[in-house]
Amino acid sequence: VNAVEGDPGFVNPINDFNLRNGSPAINAGEDLGQTKDIRNNPINGNPDIGAYENRLNEIEQVSKPTYFVSSSLGSDSNSGTSENFPWQTLAKVEVESSGFTSGTTIGFRGGDEFYGNLSFTGLTGGADSPVTFTSYGTGKGMISGRKAITGWSNTGGNIWTASTSGDTVYQAFRGDNSMQNGRFPTFNGVGYDSANYAVITSVSDSQNTFSASGLTSTLGDFDLVGATVFVKPNSFRLEGNNITSYDYTTGTITFSPNIGTYGLAIGQEFFITNAEHLLFEQDNWYHSGNTLFMYSIREPKNIFGTTIDSDGVLLYQCSYVDVDNLAIQYFNVAGINVDSYSDNVNVVNNTI
């Protein structure tokens, strides 16, 4: 009777089957004279389809953040207990986390970007009242591992440089679009493609020295010392090592440390990256020391670099924690890492 097809609009489809406002199941049931649902909530009008009547006002009250965080409007000297006096940084959230208990909700202001990452050990909520990390206001709050790269200088030949102020850049972006690290051979698409690799044609030392025909004709007398060569000793392994010597007359590369167990062999595939001479195409880049190098036909704009070599959110030995409606982006490892010792952790509605 009165069957409805579609998303029922649960508050949380994993562990909370109360109905959100706008659910097609609200008031869609058959009136059989019942006055209360299974939890003794009053039934007003036709009953809702499902075990629980819609509790919109209660749900909104429960979901209001206990603590507010805003990178644009906050200060870590604030109480954090209202939108008008939010905290500002992820570091403050970590410091205060020892006081997070069952039902605590930490809200990040929608549209704000929070540089850094979050790591919690032993954070514990309750079965019916988890510790929740979410957004408030319009849009999603973003926990971000990126920094803007500005102050570009042209060094000639469409090569631009900018200081990274001591940060290592692991990935580079123009806006939200990932840029390709400069390499030989040039990259022809996502996934495996033999065109993305050169081939070893002779081996002088099975641990560290090989030659490839075509290197000299393609790269000329470019100095590749300090660049990185990645060799595929088999189909499931990629070994990256620093080039210590390059003879452009023979196309011979020596690298360190040694490749180890698998050894070098004729026919193995490789590519070379991390050198200014390998910036061939628009938005090719590489990072060295305190400098980001980039190929661009005009001054680079809206450039960002991933500078955090870790997870965006790490939950270690945590229980009953929800991560809901956040953006967690631009990290060199994982967006969210929930270790095997954690349980009852829900990760939903996030952009990662």
Side-chain angles (χ1 to χ4, degrees), residues 31 35 59 94 101 115 134 137 142 176 195-196 247 272 306 311:
D31 186 356
T35 59
I59 291 167
E94 286 191 338
T101 58
Y115 176 78
T134 188
M142 179 191 292
D176 294 329
N196 293 329
D247 184 345
I272 306 169
T306 291
D311 306 308

Side-chain angles (χ1 to χ4, degrees), residues 169-172 179-182 279 283-287 292-293:
V169 173
Y170 301 98
Q171 301 174 56
M179 301 192 302
Q180 177 60 51
N181 193 272
L279 305 182
D283 289 354
N284 279 176
W285 68 277
Y286 95 101
H287 178 261
L292 188 70
F293 295 77

Side-chain angles (χ1 to χ4, degrees), residues 20 42 44 53 65 75 94 100 113 126 200 269 280 289 301 311 315 343:
R20 291 188 182 274
N44 299 310
E53 285 290 291
S75 169
E94 286 191 338
F100 298 166
E113 186 166 337
I200 295 175
E269 296 175 317
F280 302 126
K301 302 287 187 182
D311 306 308
L315 300 176
D343 60 82

